[in-house]
Amino acid sequence: MSSVLTADLSDAGVYRVFINGAWRPSSSQKSIPIQNPAELAECYRVAACTKDEVDAAFAAAKRAQKKWCRTPLHLRATFLHHAARLLRENAATIAACLTNEVAKGRKDSVKEVMRSADLVDYCAEEGLRILNQGQMFAPDSFPGENRNKVCLSSRVPLGVVLAIPPFNYPVNLCVSKVAPALIAGNAVVIKPPTQGAVSVLHMMQCFSLAAKATGLQLDIDAGCAAAPAPESGDSGVTAPFGAPTGIGGLINVVTGRGGEIGDYMVEHPSVNCISFTGGDTGLAIAKRAPMVPLQMELGGKDACVVCADADLDAAASAIIKGGFSYSGQRCTAIKIVLPVDSVYDALLAKVHDKVKKLKVGKPEDDADIVPLVSSSSADFVQGLVQDAVAQGAKLHGGEGYVSEDGTLGGWKRVGNLVYPLIVDGVTESMKLYHEEPFGPVVPFVRGIATPEEAIAIANRSKYGLQGCLFTQNVDDAMRLSDMFETGTVQVNGPPARGPDHFPFQGVRDSGIGSQGITNSIHMMIKTKTTVLNLKAPSYSVA
C-alpha cells in the first residue's frame, strides 16, 4: 500500500477517525472488527466513536463551513480536482481495501475508485456552471405592482451534510455525496458502513492531502495550528496525531456501530441535510430526522419485463449482467424476471446457459460470483431459496451443484459464497417474489400473458427504484415504460446507476429525492432572496 496514503491512518492495528482536521484514535479505546467475507477472518479494526466525538465532528464541520462557504468557487473546484487526482494515483491501494472488506473483485474495485475520481472532477466542473448564476426578479409582472423593488435570488449552501454511504459501493457512493456538498459550499460529516469503512478512510486521506496541495487554511485562523480551539458544545477533542492539513473540519469521518451512534447522528441538531444510501434503515432515518432535506436511495425489486418481440440474446445478457454482477449485491440488480409466456422457456434456456459459464470464486481472482458481504446475508438468501423450493419452484444453476430435476439437494454454498441460481416458477406466495435478495439469485415468474400484466406485477411491489423492458417496437417501448411506476426505466438494457450525472431516484420505499451530480448539487443548496426597496420606481433603459 502507498506509504503516503496510509500514514497516520492506524494506531496499534486500529484505524483512526478523521475529526477536526486530524487523524486520531477514539477516546472510547474500543474497536470494531471487520471480517473479510471471502476468508471469514478479521482483516481490519476501526474505532468505535463516542457521542462526544460525534459532537466534536459536527462542531468542527460547522466552524469550517462558515469559512468554506466564503471560499471562491474556482478554489473549491481546484480542491476537488486535486482530490480526484489523488484518488486516481492511489486507486490500487483503495481497491485493495475494497477487495478485503467487501469482497469486490480487484478489477471492479479499481473501476469503482476511478469512477469516483471521474465523478469528483465532473462535479467540480458542473458546480462552476450551476453555482455562478442567480436570478433577478422585477415586481411589475404581478398585477398592481411597479418597479419599486428589486429581488435578488441567490443559491447558498445548506450547512452541514451528513453522508451515509452503503457497503457495496462505499467509495463511489461516498464521493457522490461529498463532492456535490463541497462544491456547493457545505461541510460534511461521514458515517461510513462498518464494512467499507477502511476504504472510506483511505478516500478521506486523499481529500486531506488535497487540502495540503491547494493550501487550504480552514483550520489556521481558529488559534491553533492543527485544529480550531474547542467551542461551546465541542467535546474538546484535540489533534495529537498528524500534521496540520488546512482542511479543518470541512470533512469529518466518524466510525462506530449504528446502534450506538447512528440515531444520535441522524437526530443531531447540527445536521442540515442527510444523504443516505442503503436499505430499510433509511425508512427509520426518515422518521427520526429533523426538518432537513433528505436524499434517500433505499432498496429495489427491479423487474425485467421481456416482450414477445424482444431480442432474447440481448435480454439474456442483460439479465446476467443485471442480476449477477457483484453477486447481485446492488440496489439496481435485476431481482425478478417477468417474461411473457411465449418466450419464457427460450429465455430461461439462454440465461441458464450463461449462468453455467459464470466464474465462481475469490474476489482476488476477479470471479464473477464472489462471497456475500456477511454470513447473515448468505443465510437470508438461502432462506428465500428454501422457501421457494418448498412451495414448488425449480432451480437452475451451474454444472455439478443443482440436480437434474431442479430440487434443492445439489444447491451449493461455501461459507458466504452462494453459487448463482435461477429460481424457476416463483409465485406470489413465495418470499422471493416480494423480497430483495441481495444475492446471486434471480427469480422467474411464469403465467404472464402480456407485458401490461408483467408491469402490473412490478408496480405492486413496495419498491420502485428501476425497471427494465425488452422490446424492438419503439412505440411499445414508450407506452410500456410510461406504465412503470419506478424512478427509472431502462429500455433494452439492465437497470443501472449511472453514468453518474444521470438523474437517479426511486419512489415508494425505494427512496425520496433525486441523485446524479447535477441533482445532488441542487439538493444541497437553498434559495435566499434579498429585496431592495426603492424610493421610486426604476425602469432600466439602454
Side-chain angles (χ1 to χ4, degrees):
M1 289 191 176
S2 167
S3 59
V4 174
L5 195 67
T6 58
D8 295 331
L9 262 65
S10 64
D11 176 46
V14 178
Y15 275 83
R16 297 172 176 148
V17 293
F18 194 81
I19 298 176
N20 212 8
W23 294 100
R24 63 196 66 195
S26 172
S27 61
S28 73
Q29 298 184 336
K30 296 179 181 179
S31 62
I32 304 169
I34 297 176
Q35 186 182 69
N36 182 310
E39 303 298 334
L40 299 181
E42 182 180 311
C43 58
Y44 302 119
R45 280 187 172 268
V46 295
C49 287
T50 65
K51 292 180 179 178
D52 282 345
E53 287 162 330
V54 171
D55 289 340
F58 277 109
K62 286 185 69 175
R63 285 193 298 271
Q65 194 273 330
K66 297 300 183 184
K67 188 168 185 180
W68 179 245
C69 70
R70 292 174 172 82
T71 300
L73 189 57
H74 70 91
L75 294 180
R76 296 184 215 164
T78 297
F79 167 60
L80 290 180
H81 284 311
H82 275 279
R85 175 181 58 81
L86 288 165
L87 284 169
R88 291 189 184 93
E89 291 176 358
N90 294 281
T93 297
I94 302 173
C97 298
L98 288 167
T99 298
N100 283 335
E101 60 182 340
V102 300
K104 183 168 289 189
R106 283 178 175 173
K107 290 181 181 178
D108 286 342
S109 294
V110 171
K111 286 179 182 178
E112 177 174 344
V113 181
M114 299 302 284
R115 173 185 180 181
S116 299
D118 291 342
L119 187 157
V120 174
D121 272 334
Y122 193 107
C123 187
E125 294 303 311
E126 186 73 352
L128 291 174
R129 289 188 288 269
I130 293 173
L131 299 170
N132 71 343
Q133 302 175 35
Q135 288 181 295
M136 186 180 80
F137 295 89
D140 59 326
S141 60
F142 197 85
E145 297 289 340
N146 59 36
R147 293 203 176 186
N148 61 350
K149 301 175 187 287
V150 177
C151 177
L152 303 176
S153 175
S154 303
R155 294 165 169 173
V156 299
L158 297 175
V160 178
V161 174
L162 173 58
I164 310 176
F167 81 85
N168 53 352
Y169 291 90
V171 176
N172 183 255
L173 286 173
C174 189
V175 299
S176 71
K177 307 172 191 307
V178 171
L182 293 179
I183 195 65
N186 300 287
V188 184
V189 176
I190 301 169
K191 168 60 179 76
T194 297
Q195 286 192 245
V198 174
S199 302
V200 172
L201 292 169
H202 281 79
M203 176 219 77
M204 179 64 237
Q205 182 74 311
C206 292
F207 280 86
S208 176
L209 296 173
K212 288 183 179 179
T214 51
L216 283 186
Q217 297 294 314
L218 299 180
D219 57 2
I220 299 303
D221 64 349
C224 171
E231 292 181 350
S232 176
D234 194 341
S235 71
V237 175
T238 57
F241 297 96
T245 64
I247 198 171
L250 182 62
I251 315 172
N252 303 269
V253 184
V254 177
T255 58
R257 299 188 187 280
E260 295 176 1
I261 62 171
D263 289 347
Y264 187 74
M265 295 183 77
V266 167
E267 298 173 350
H268 203 279
S270 295
V271 170
N272 302 116
C273 174
I274 300 174
S275 180
F276 171 88
T277 303
D280 290 345
T281 301
L283 299 175
I285 290 175
K287 294 177 181 178
R288 289 182 172 274
M291 192 163 55
V292 299
L294 300 178
Q295 185 183 51
M296 316 286 283
E297 192 267 289
L298 312 182
K301 186 70 175 176
D302 297 4
C304 176
V305 173
V306 183
C307 300
D309 68 337
D311 180 336
L312 296 187
D313 289 321
S317 295
I319 291 168
I320 292 295
K321 181 178 180 181
F324 295 102
S325 294
Y326 191 36
S327 296
Q329 297 177 110
R330 298 161 45 246
C331 293
T332 54
I334 290 176
K335 301 188 180 81
I336 190 166
V337 181
L338 306 170
V340 296
D341 272 342
S342 60
V343 300
Y344 186 102
D345 290 325
L347 176 66
L348 181 65
K350 289 179 180 292
V351 175
H352 188 198
D353 284 343
K354 293 179 181 295
V355 168
K356 294 176 184 178
K357 297 174 184 176
L358 291 173
K359 180 182 177 182
V360 181
K362 293 184 176 182
E364 294 85 354
D365 299 328
D366 285 316
D368 299 308
I369 304 298
V370 295
L372 299 186
V373 71
S374 67
S375 297
S376 59
S377 296
D379 290 343
F380 179 70
V381 173
Q382 182 172 349
L384 294 177
V385 175
Q386 288 174 330
D387 172 74
V389 170
Q391 297 188 59
K394 300 297 181 183
L395 304 181
H396 303 278
E399 299 293 344
Y401 64 91
V402 173
S403 54
E404 288 295 326
D405 63 356
T407 62
L408 190 61
W411 186 54
K412 192 171 182 179
R413 171 186 171 187
V414 180
N416 293 353
L417 184 61
V418 176
Y419 280 59
L421 286 174
I422 302 166
V423 186
D424 176 13
V426 170
T427 62
E428 193 169 1
S429 64
M430 301 173 187
K431 294 178 182 178
L432 188 56
Y433 185 95
H434 306 279
E435 298 284 349
E436 180 183 23
F438 238 63
V441 173
V442 176
F444 274 59
V445 177
R446 289 184 178 270
I448 298 172
T450 65
E452 289 83 359
E453 182 182 345
I455 293 170
I457 292 172
N459 288 345
R460 287 199 292 270
S461 171
K462 68 178 182 178
Y463 298 110
L465 188 59
Q466 291 203 4
C468 62
L469 168 72
F470 287 84
T471 177
Q472 298 186 68
N473 185 306
V474 67
D475 293 310
D476 284 345
M478 290 303 300
R479 178 178 61 84
L480 295 170
S481 64
D482 285 346
M483 294 174 61
F484 265 100
E485 296 173 4
T486 57
T488 301
V489 182
Q490 301 276 353
V491 178
N492 293 329
R497 179 181 58 84
D500 285 316
H501 66 299
F502 279 17
F504 180 63
Q505 56 282 314
V507 299
R508 300 190 294 279
D509 284 3
S510 286
I512 186 172
S514 183
Q515 298 182 56
I517 292 170
T518 303
N519 285 355
S520 290
I521 293 173
H522 283 293
M523 161 79 187
M524 295 178 181
I525 55 176
K526 57 189 174 185
T527 299
K528 179 178 181 178
T529 55
T530 300
V531 179
L532 302 178
N533 291 274
L534 307 177
K535 292 181 178 180
S538 177
Y539 291 84
S540 178
V541 296

